[in-house]
Amino acid sequence: MNDIFDVINNQGYYIIAEIGVNYYDIAKKEKISVMDAAKLMCKEACNAGANAVKFQTYKAGTIASKYSPSYWDMKEEPTTSQYELFKKFDSFGEDEYRQLKQYCDEIGVEFLSTPFDFESADYLEDMMNVYKISSSDLTNIPFIEYMCKKGKPVILSVGASHEDEIDRAVSLIRSYGNKLVLMHCVLEYPTPYEHANLGRILALQKKYNDCVIGYSDHTKPEKTYDIQKTAFLLGAKVIEKHFTLDKTLKGNDHYHAMDVNDLKNIKASLEYIKKIIGAGTLACNESESAARANARRSVVLKTDMKNGDIIKENDITFKRPGIGIEPYHYKELIGRKLNKDLPEDSILKWEDID
């Protein structure tokens, strides 16, 4: 598969559809196996334009204490314990993820999964070109270091973090020489639009200017996709968002996820933004050539003049079109001789001058 940094350089952005563990609920809805649901979501995300699909690899017993409280919107997800919620969605292991990796390779989408323990970091190593580290592990320095030693690029989310915590993690990753993508995100599920704090993308760019900056979004999709478009305009080159096939499903990450239509529209929006931004070079567009020639001005004779006449300043003026000598050369013409008869309003050209 294509390297994430190559895709960013060539395409201008990289979209990650975070399937997470939403496929469990899709399996129930569609009355298919959990594996078939996971593959279906990979296929739909790929067809809608995602560059990568991402899962979450964990076991409830290694990610959360049995006494860990919830921190999400209880109206959307009523489970009060993190451990109990994770327990519902932790049946997949190495064999299942290998099947998904193989399937993703077949359909042409990058396979990613966020490991949440050392065991999964190990068995996912040869399945992925890059490690994704959750915001929840930003201060889990032993775990970050363990993955850095494997030499892969790192995508690090920095939600719910202070500057010193980001500095600590970034310094560690830099010390091992891993390429790094820093993802702004807000750990609030769902994130109210007014809490998106997209200006943080600029702050991350300014301080960590050797890193690629991205945005992991937890807002509910809105019709204009202003959140994702603004993030991209502010410099986010990686856009990650939870993905579902049914936003009306209760619980888990469906309620703030994008669906197939959202993903298509977000990609189309980014392509349109790229188009209207253009190359940004300080040069005339080819499409402006006719206007450039006809709307600019040339040096024009104010009176009839004869071969051998000396050009004086009051003999000339400046009119359209701009196909003759440009006005900024007019001083070079004063005192020069014409080499032919020319009538009033003639557009002067260099071949007319001795």
Side-chain angles (χ1 to χ4, degrees):
M1 302 302 294
N2 290 325
D3 177 86
I4 181 174
F5 300 98
D6 289 341
V7 173
I8 291 169
N9 287 335
N10 294 328
Q11 182 176 261
Y13 60 86
Y14 191 87
I15 299 177
I16 301 173
E18 164 110 39
I19 294 172
V21 292
N22 279 344
Y23 53 93
Y24 285 88
D25 297 322
I26 298 299
K28 290 179 183 177
K29 180 194 174 187
E30 300 295 332
K31 297 181 173 57
I32 57 178
S33 72
V34 176
M35 177 57 73
D36 284 344
K39 288 182 177 179
L40 174 63
M41 294 188 73
C42 291
K43 182 179 179 180
E44 293 290 345
C46 178
N47 290 343
N51 299 108
V53 294
K54 191 175 76 66
F55 295 87
Q56 296 176 2
T57 303
Y58 57 73
K59 294 296 180 183
T62 61
I63 192 173
S65 160
K66 293 179 182 178
Y67 308 105
S68 54
S70 63
Y71 59 94
W72 42 76
D73 187 340
M74 297 299 293
K75 297 190 296 294
E76 301 284 359
E77 172 52 66
T79 308
T80 58
S81 160
Q82 291 183 56
Y83 176 83
E84 292 300 329
L85 182 64
F86 292 136
K87 193 67 178 171
K88 296 178 184 179
F89 307 111
D90 72 349
S91 66
F92 274 18
E94 181 176 358
D95 290 344
E96 288 80 10
Y97 288 113
R98 288 200 179 279
Q99 289 184 54
L100 290 174
K101 161 64 175 172
Q102 181 178 350
Y103 182 71
C104 287
D105 286 349
E106 290 171 2
I107 64 175
V109 68
E110 191 79 16
F111 168 85
L112 296 174
S113 189
T114 302
F116 285 90
D117 53 52
F118 293 96
E119 180 184 359
S120 60
D122 281 340
Y123 70 66
L124 287 169
E125 179 181 0
D126 66 351
M127 302 184 208
M128 305 191 303
N129 296 317
V130 58
Y131 274 116
K132 170 67 195 294
I133 300 176
S134 163
S135 294
S136 60
D137 280 315
L138 180 69
T139 58
N140 191 353
I141 293 300
F143 189 47
I144 295 175
E145 185 169 29
Y146 188 78
M147 284 182 279
C148 283
K149 289 178 179 179
K150 297 178 183 294
K152 292 182 182 291
V154 170
I155 302 173
L156 175 66
S157 285
V158 296
S161 61
H162 294 302
E163 187 173 351
D164 62 319
E165 295 170 328
I166 302 172
D167 281 343
R168 186 183 301 112
V170 170
S171 295
L172 173 64
I173 295 167
R174 281 173 172 163
S175 73
Y176 281 94
N178 306 72
K179 288 185 177 180
L180 180 57
V181 178
L182 286 179
M183 303 286 285
H184 164 53
C185 74
V186 177
L187 291 191
E188 189 175 0
Y189 302 88
T191 303
Y193 303 125
E194 63 271 21
H195 292 182
N197 195 20
L198 295 179
R200 203 172 192 230
I201 293 168
L202 296 174
L204 289 170
Q205 280 182 321
K206 183 176 180 180
K207 177 152 192 183
Y208 308 103
N209 54 23
D210 59 336
C211 300
V212 172
I213 306 300
Y215 174 55
S216 184
D217 180 37
H218 297 133
T219 63
K220 287 186 175 182
E222 26 79 53
K223 293 179 180 179
T224 57
Y225 307 102
D226 286 341
I227 297 291
Q228 297 79 34
K229 290 190 290 187
T230 302
F232 179 59
L233 282 167
L234 290 174
K237 300 300 185 185
V238 180
I239 302 293
E240 177 184 64
K241 188 163 181 61
H242 283 274
F243 180 70
T244 183
L245 301 184
D246 187 348
K247 293 188 287 188
T248 68
L249 290 175
K250 284 292 184 183
N252 213 16
D253 291 315
H254 302 284
Y255 58 94
H256 58 84
M258 62 183 173
D259 62 13
V260 169
N261 187 59
D262 293 324
L263 176 50
K264 288 179 179 178
N265 287 333
I266 289 170
K267 184 176 176 66
S269 295
L270 300 189
E271 285 296 324
Y272 181 67
I273 289 170
K274 276 175 53 186
K275 186 179 294 185
I276 62 177
I277 288 176
T281 56
L282 296 177
C284 171
N285 287 345
E286 186 176 345
S287 60
E288 297 174 291
S289 57
R292 176 184 171 89
N294 288 286
R296 288 200 173 178
R297 302 197 184 211
S298 301
V299 178
V300 174
L301 291 183
K302 292 167 69 174
T303 61
D304 295 341
M305 294 190 72
K306 301 291 185 181
N307 184 2
D309 283 351
I310 303 296
I311 299 171
K312 301 182 290 298
E313 189 165 347
N314 62 1
D315 292 328
I316 58 175
T317 188
F318 314 107
K319 296 183 181 181
R320 297 183 182 190
I323 59 174
I325 298 172
E326 294 93 340
Y328 56 79
H329 286 299
Y330 87 96
K331 288 187 178 180
E332 300 171 41
L333 301 175
I334 306 306
R336 303 273 293 270
K337 288 183 181 180
L338 286 180
N339 58 25
K340 62 184 71 170
D341 294 346
L342 289 173
E344 174 195 353
D345 234 19
S346 291
I347 298 165
L348 280 182
K349 297 182 179 178
W350 287 112
E351 56 263 34
D352 304 329
I353 311 298
D354 281 338

